[in-house]
Every structure is written in structure tokens, then in C-alpha cells.
Amino acid sequence: MEALFRSRSRKMLNVPREPWPIEYAAEHAELNRDREQDRIPFAYRSPQIQHRSYLVGWIRTRAEKFMFCTSTVHLAIYILDIFMDNFNIELDRLHLVALVCLQVASKYEERDVRIPKASQFNSVVNNRYQLAEFRDLEVMLLSFLGWKLNLPTAAHFAEYYSLFAVSKKDWCQTEFLSYETFWQEAQRAVKDYLDLALLDICMMQFLPSIVACACVLLARQQLRLIKWTEELQIITKYQCEDLTLCANVILSRSSNRGIERKRKNADSPDLGYVTAGSTTSTPEGITSKRRIIVCTEDSNL
């Protein structure tokens, strides 16, 4: 059922909501509301958290190369966040972890014919790693997750909630020539805010369903519509005031985006390739961390 929903959701994403199999989408959203309550607790304790912003952009760029869908990107970054929060990762293995997170997410979200092989993932870093390292880390990551990949993200909720982002009643109050154009503009706005939400680690404090609804709220505000409607309240089970804090955090990220674009990639691990002698230290007091140690005889490291 989930595979059917995911494949059909991508097919129907860019058309108005009438043809959507609403009964399946609604049931799926309710299941995700239950699942999001069981997400692994996040403690903001990764020793490599300063590299997180760089890694998010790096994953998104590689995902574009492989033409992955939005849900794959969001799932990969969620897995990366929760894995980094529980492991102290060697600096020269950050890209390996990011690639394996993307690989695992693609295996769950993408169709089989679209899933690249480990060798294809490795090629984006000039075959820096051994293929056995991909396999071993994948098993380690899946074991950490309890072999459960049905981890709802904001993108999964947005697939359903964005269908109700605007209505024909809203359209009548705008200058858009067609409802389809108006509806598609709303979808683009929701996706833009979802992309912004990925950039800030503090969004982990909010449930994914709240993040998705906040993106819908902001999209409606951008289109100069009534912020929240009774229909949206019934469908999402959230009132406008439940979303205000999350929406404000996303907006603050939007206002800082121009400033951040001017920053150099000083927080990136050597722009993707660590120099010889680079070390990673573990903050004192975090004794519950498990350390990833990958020995290598590569003279280039």
C-alpha cells in the first residue's frame, strides 16, 4: 500500500487535487501521525554539528544529480541528523555517512530502477571509499534504526496536506487566470518552504506534521490568502496557533538566507576532502557516544 501511495503521489503532485486517491492519502497521513510519535529522540549533541549545514547542501546536490524526489532528500537528511546525533563520526567518513543515508533513503522511496548502485554513489566522491564500506555502514545504520525506514518527514505529510493548501474559493479572490496555475503556484511555495525547513537543525524540535502544516500556512500567506481555514483545521487537526512558532522559525531562516549565501564554506570538511592530519575531537561529557573508527591504509588520507 505504501509503495502504491508513493508512486501515485509523485505522478499526481503537479495537478489539482480532484484526481487524487484521497481515501488512500488520508489513511496514510493518519498512519504517519502515529509513527511520528515514535521518532528517535534528538539531543543536539553531535560533535560534527558544525558541518551539518554543508552536508545538507551536499546531499541535496547529489540527490539532484540522481533525480531523486523530495521525500528521498528529506528522509536522507533525517537519517543523517539522527545518526550524527548518536555517533561520533570520523571527519573523513562524513561523506561516506551522507552517501549511505542517501542510498538507504532512495531504496525506500524510489522505484527499483532508479536506485543507483554503491559504485555510482562512490563515483561522486571520485571512488574515495571501498565498496565494502558502503555495505558495512548500511548494515550498521539499519541496525541502529531497528531496520525501520517508515520514518515520516515533513515532506511525507506535505504530499497530502498540500493538496488542500488552496481551494477554488481561494482562487476566486486572486488574479490567477486558471485554477490549475494557482494550485501549482501553491505547491511550489510549499516546496520552497520545505526546502528552507531542511536548512535549520532546530526544526528537529517540531513534529514533521507541524512543519508540513507550517509550510502550507506560509504558502497561503505568500499568496495573500486567509491564513488557515476550517477545512485545513479539520484535515490536519491543527489550529493556526499550533503552527505559529514553527512558521516563524522557518521565516527567520528565510530572512537569513541571503546572508548565509555570502559565507564561505569554512564549516565544510575541507570542501568534501579532508587534508592529511585532520582530527575530530569528542566533546567532554558525552560518554554515551559510540565512535565510528574506520581504519585505512590509503596513503592519500
Side-chain angles (χ1 to χ4, degrees):
M1 177 67 73
E2 291 183 0
L4 172 64
F5 174 79
R6 290 197 300 273
S7 63
R8 294 192 70 177
S9 65
R10 295 191 193 100
K11 181 179 179 181
M12 304 303 298
L13 189 58
N14 293 319
V15 297
R17 73 187 192 205
E18 284 79 1
W20 182 272
I22 294 296
E23 63 278 9
Y24 297 136
E27 181 181 351
H28 189 79
E30 286 303 309
L31 287 173
N32 279 339
R33 287 290 285 265
D34 292 334
R35 290 168 180 161
E36 71 175 348
Q37 301 295 331
D38 297 326
R39 282 159 55 102
I40 299 173
F42 190 78
Y44 300 91
R45 60 181 183 178
S46 170
Q48 292 80 30
I49 199 167
Q50 71 271 24
H51 302 308
R52 192 263 182 187
S53 179
Y54 164 79
L55 289 172
V56 167
W58 193 83
I59 285 177
R60 291 173 63 178
T61 301
R62 274 63 195 177
E64 285 185 14
K65 171 182 175 64
F66 291 116
M67 300 180 67
F68 289 156
C69 67
T70 300
S71 296
T72 299
V73 176
H74 278 252
L75 180 57
I77 292 174
Y78 170 71
I79 294 173
L80 175 71
D81 283 337
I82 205 67
F83 194 73
M84 289 179 63
D85 197 53
N86 286 273
F87 291 84
N88 185 6
I89 306 167
E90 296 288 351
L91 192 60
D92 62 348
R93 291 297 181 266
L94 283 176
H95 288 89
L96 175 62
V97 172
L99 284 173
V100 172
C101 288
L102 188 58
Q103 181 183 34
V104 168
S106 68
K107 287 183 177 180
Y108 186 73
E109 293 290 338
E110 303 289 337
R111 296 178 181 176
D112 290 344
V113 295
R114 294 181 58 83
I115 301 172
K117 298 179 180 178
S119 59
Q120 293 174 276
F121 282 106
N122 200 21
S123 67
V124 304
V125 288
N126 297 325
N127 300 310
R128 182 174 181 81
Y129 305 108
Q130 299 294 321
L131 295 183
E133 295 180 89
F134 280 83
R135 182 191 62 244
D136 294 342
L137 184 55
E138 181 179 7
V139 172
M140 181 180 182
L141 189 149
L142 289 170
S143 297
F144 165 68
L145 295 174
W147 298 87
K148 296 178 181 179
L149 289 176
N150 54 346
L151 305 168
T153 67
H156 293 104
F157 284 103
E159 282 186 341
Y160 176 54
Y161 293 151
S162 65
L163 297 175
F164 305 90
V166 293
S167 66
K168 288 187 175 180
K169 182 179 180 180
D170 294 320
W171 172 52
C172 293
Q173 303 172 25
T174 71
E175 297 180 356
F176 284 88
L177 297 180
S178 71
Y179 174 58
E180 181 173 354
T181 301
F182 173 59
W183 193 88
Q184 290 177 343
E185 182 61 29
Q187 302 305 300
R188 281 191 288 269
V190 171
K191 186 180 183 303
D192 286 344
Y193 285 116
L194 280 173
D195 289 342
L196 277 177
L198 275 181
L199 300 179
D200 201 331
I201 191 63
C202 75
M203 298 305 296
M204 291 289 285
Q205 68 183 294
F206 302 107
L207 289 173
S209 58
I210 289 182
V211 176
C213 290
C215 291
V216 173
L217 176 67
L218 291 170
R220 290 183 58 83
Q221 181 174 301
Q222 180 175 312
L223 292 169
R224 300 181 180 181
L225 303 172
I226 297 174
K227 287 186 177 181
W228 210 238
T229 64
E230 183 178 353
E231 181 186 29
L232 282 167
Q233 182 174 326
I234 293 172
I235 290 167
T236 66
K237 299 180 175 61
Y238 286 121
Q239 299 181 8
C240 186
E241 51 265 32
D242 299 324
L243 313 173
T244 303
L245 176 59
C246 182
N248 285 337
V249 172
I250 297 174
L251 278 180
S252 67
R253 185 68 192 194
S254 177
S255 62
N256 294 331
R257 195 176 189 183
I259 298 175
E260 292 190 0
R261 283 178 175 174
K262 298 178 182 179
R263 292 181 182 173
K264 294 182 179 180
N265 291 324
D267 63 338
S268 68
D270 210 13
L271 292 179
Y273 302 96
V274 295
T275 55
S278 297
T279 59
T280 303
S281 59
T282 306
E284 295 181 1
I286 302 178
T287 58
S288 60
K289 290 280 186 176
R290 288 163 286 176
R291 189 175 181 83
I292 297 179
I293 302 178
V294 183
C295 297
T296 178
E297 298 179 356
D298 190 339
S299 61
N300 293 325
L301 296 182

